[in-house]
């Protein structure tokens, strides 16, 4: 087992990882930019190293500085967290070349899944159903026109290197295609360094349902059920729940075991998430994330499995030690992503937190690096807290969430707490009746 882990991240996720390390008796090294010197993730780590100025490219994305910090501190492994370098195959290679353990999958698997076209091909080969579309990159407009009419409009143009909803454009008909292609290519080139795009059928009102998997170095893999992440704004998840209110137990077992089989087939190891769109009883693979997800706690709540601990254990080469039959699902869990943002414009709302009170009580977990007097810097993601609630069933979970949202106080900065408070009262939410466009429709109507 590792003795000392460097956590190459910040904020709540760095804290989450530090907590797992401490539970396992592993020492932790925090890294931070100059803007984060007083952050909670620095305070709670055993040691910390400043890796550069505020801009992420000079600090949290600065590979050389992170590797130097690991060397100086005598760490034996690096946990990338999520975002930043977590899905950067070249960083994973560098970590290994420098003799550190990388707490994540192999660089080859990261690269495979980072190329969404290659990922889709791998999914097909591993027996997963995918959204109908071009089976490779589309270069010429004429080729795109031919393919789009074969697939049927509306079509979605997606960046091969995509992520975060960037480089995604919908075309409603042939007249719209040229515009959509050029916008998608431009966004793809600007964000991912390649303008390669591909086409997919645009599914009208699907749900986003993703399956959590966990695999070791010895060929064992299990699934930990699904999360419903359909409540999104601009392709960004806002509230997630597990299990999905839409699936039957039989559907859950079927998609879960297919996902576990697929990761076994490609020889994947570590934690991972296979994302599907689901409509009228059919699943369509869209992508695989080769890292811990923001919404992983709801899976931890319903399975009782500490995903970060398992991730560290399998990265150290330990066998999983249990099979699918040992994974039990209990109750219902919901996560609200609390962002520092203006409730009307959604612009980030950095600043000093003048008052902070986190909810507690039965079934309530808050993952956050905020504290009274902490400063939310303007340089990074606006997610500042995750409120995660667990109860024996969905309605009790919703009531508990209402109670917890009522107790939550974050003063001095704007947040989307009121959005969550209103959202969970809506009749459609209460009934679990929503798709990936529901939240945007609801926001326009309220
Ligand atoms: P990214 O990597 O940019 O997050 P994804 O492929 O995961 O891209 O898709 C993000 C979101 O975009 C999905 O959760 C879904 O809301 C929407 N989406 C993706 N593919 C389709 C599709 N074929 N039809 C309709 N919506 C889609």
């Amino acid at each position: 087992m590792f003795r000392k882990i460097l956590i190459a991240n910040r904020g709540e996720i760095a804290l989450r990882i530090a907590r797992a390390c401490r539970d396992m008796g592993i020492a932790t090294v925090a890294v931070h930019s100059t803007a984060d010197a007083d952050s909670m993730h620095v305070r709670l780590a055993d040691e910390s190293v400043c890796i550069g100025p505020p801009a992420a490219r000079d600090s949290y994305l600065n590979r050389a500085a992170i590797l130097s910090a690991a060397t100086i501190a005598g760490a034996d492994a690096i946990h990338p967290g999520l975002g930043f370098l977590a899905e950067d195959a070249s960083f994973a290679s560098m970590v290994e070349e420098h003799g550190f353990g990388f707490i994540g999958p192999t660089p080859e698997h990261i690269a495979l899944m980072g190329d969404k076209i290659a990922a889709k091909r791998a999914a097909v080969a591993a027996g997963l159903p995918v959204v109908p579309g071009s089976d490779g990159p589309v270069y010429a407009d004429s080729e795109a026109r031919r393919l789009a009419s074969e697939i049927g409009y509306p079509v979605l143009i997606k960046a091969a290197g995509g992520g975060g909803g960037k480089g995604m454009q919908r075309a409603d008909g042939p007249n719209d295609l040229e515009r959509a292609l050029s916008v998608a290519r431009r966004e793809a080139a600007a964000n991912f360094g390649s303008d390669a795009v591909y086409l997919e059928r645009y599914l009208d009102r699907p749900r986003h349902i993703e399956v959590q998997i966990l695999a070791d170095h010895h060929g064992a893999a299990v699934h930990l059920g699904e999360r419903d992440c359909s409540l999104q704004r601009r392709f960004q998840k806002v509230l997630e729940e597990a299990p999905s209110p839409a699936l039957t137990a039989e559907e859950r077992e079927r998609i879960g075991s297919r996902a576990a089989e697929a990761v076994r087939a490609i020889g994947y190891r570590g934690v991972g998430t296979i994302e599907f769109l689901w409509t009228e009883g059919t699943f369509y693979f869209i992508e695989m994330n080769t890292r811990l997800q923001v919404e992983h706690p709801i899976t931890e709540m319903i399975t009782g499995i500490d995903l970060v601990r398992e991730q560290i254990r399998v990265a150290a080469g330990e066998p999983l030690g249990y099979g699918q039959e040992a994974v039990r699902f209990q109750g219902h869990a919901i996560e609200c992503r609390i962002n520092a943002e203006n409730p009307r414009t959604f612009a980030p709302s950095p600043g000093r937190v003048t008052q902070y009170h986190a909810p507690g009580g039965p079934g309530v977990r808050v993952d956050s690096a905020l504290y009274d007097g902490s400063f939310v810097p303007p340089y990074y993601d606006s997610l500042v807290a995750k409120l995660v609630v667990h109860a024996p069933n969905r309605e009790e979970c919703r009531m508990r969430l209402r109670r917890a949202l009522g107790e939550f106080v974050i003063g001095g900065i704007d947040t989307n707490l009121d959005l969550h408070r209103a959202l969970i009262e809506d009749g459609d939410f209460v009934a679990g009746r929503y798709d990936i466009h529901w939240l945007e429709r609801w926001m326009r109507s309220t």
Side-chain angles (χ1 to χ4, degrees), residues 82-343:
L82 49 84
F84 296 128
L85 296 167
E87 286 174 298
D88 183 323
S90 69
F91 178 66
S93 302
M94 287 169 80
V95 168
E96 290 178 350
E97 280 157 19
H98 283 76
F100 301 110
F102 180 74
I103 302 176
T106 62
E108 292 73 26
H109 282 121
I110 298 175
L112 173 70
M113 295 303 168
D115 174 346
K116 294 178 116 188
I117 294 172
K120 248 181 120 170
R121 287 189 180 135
V124 173
L128 294 174
V130 300
V131 187
S134 60
D135 52 24
V138 175
Y139 298 107
D141 283 12
S142 56
E143 189 194 356
R145 210 167 301 117
R146 184 180 57 74
L147 281 165
S149 63
E150 259 174 50
I151 297 165
Y153 287 96
V155 293
L156 199 61
I157 298 149
K158 294 170 102 169
K166 296 200 184 84
M168 231 188 302
Q169 285 292 319
R170 169 180 154 167
D172 287 321
N175 297 337
D176 198 21
L177 191 63
E178 224 162 283
R179 175 207 60 84
L181 274 169
S182 74
V183 175
R185 285 197 184 112
R186 200 166 347 108
E187 275 185 30
N191 288 290
F192 313 113
S194 151
D195 69 353
V197 295
Y198 62 106
L199 297 190
E200 233 170 42
R201 177 182 297 157
Y202 178 82
L203 300 175
D204 193 27
R205 290 192 172 184
R207 297 178 83 110
H208 173 119
I209 296 180
E210 57 184 37
V211 178
Q212 176 71 52
I213 58 88
L214 172 59
D216 68 13
H217 286 229
H218 312 279
V222 295
H223 75 85
L224 303 183
E226 85 286 7
R227 296 181 286 259
D228 196 318
C229 309
S230 304
L231 292 171
Q232 304 179 352
R233 180 181 167 272
R234 301 226 170 133
F235 306 118
Q236 298 293 321
K237 298 161 188 170
V238 173
L239 177 153
E240 305 95 345
E241 58 182 315
S244 168
L247 294 195
T248 64
E250 191 267 327
E251 280 177 305
R252 169 166 311 116
E253 181 38 43
R254 189 158 43 88
I255 194 63
S257 50
R258 287 185 79 170
E261 262 164 49
V263 298
R264 242 176 261 128
I266 62 168
Y268 186 85
R269 60 158 212 237
V271 302
T273 299
I274 306 190
E275 297 191 335
F276 298 93
L277 294 178
W278 178 90
T279 181
E280 290 161 24
T282 306
F283 284 95
Y284 300 95
F285 169 91
I286 47 172
E287 66 165 344
M288 176 168 184
N289 291 319
T290 53
R291 54 167 167 82
L292 199 63
Q293 304 263 114
V294 170
E295 58 274 23
H296 76 277
I298 52 176
T299 299
E300 300 189 313
M301 296 297 244
I302 63 163
T303 60
I305 291 173
D306 179 332
L307 270 164
V308 182
R309 180 189 192 96
E310 294 305 273
Q311 187 182 26
I312 293 170
R313 270 203 327 110
V314 300
E318 286 190 10
L320 210 48
Y322 50 88
Q324 192 62 51
E325 65 292 342
V327 180
R328 293 277 151 76
F329 301 106
Q330 228 175 48
H332 197 91
I334 302 179
E335 171 183 275
C336 293
R337 295 192 187 202
I338 314 298
N339 297 331
E341 68 188 18
N342 182 291

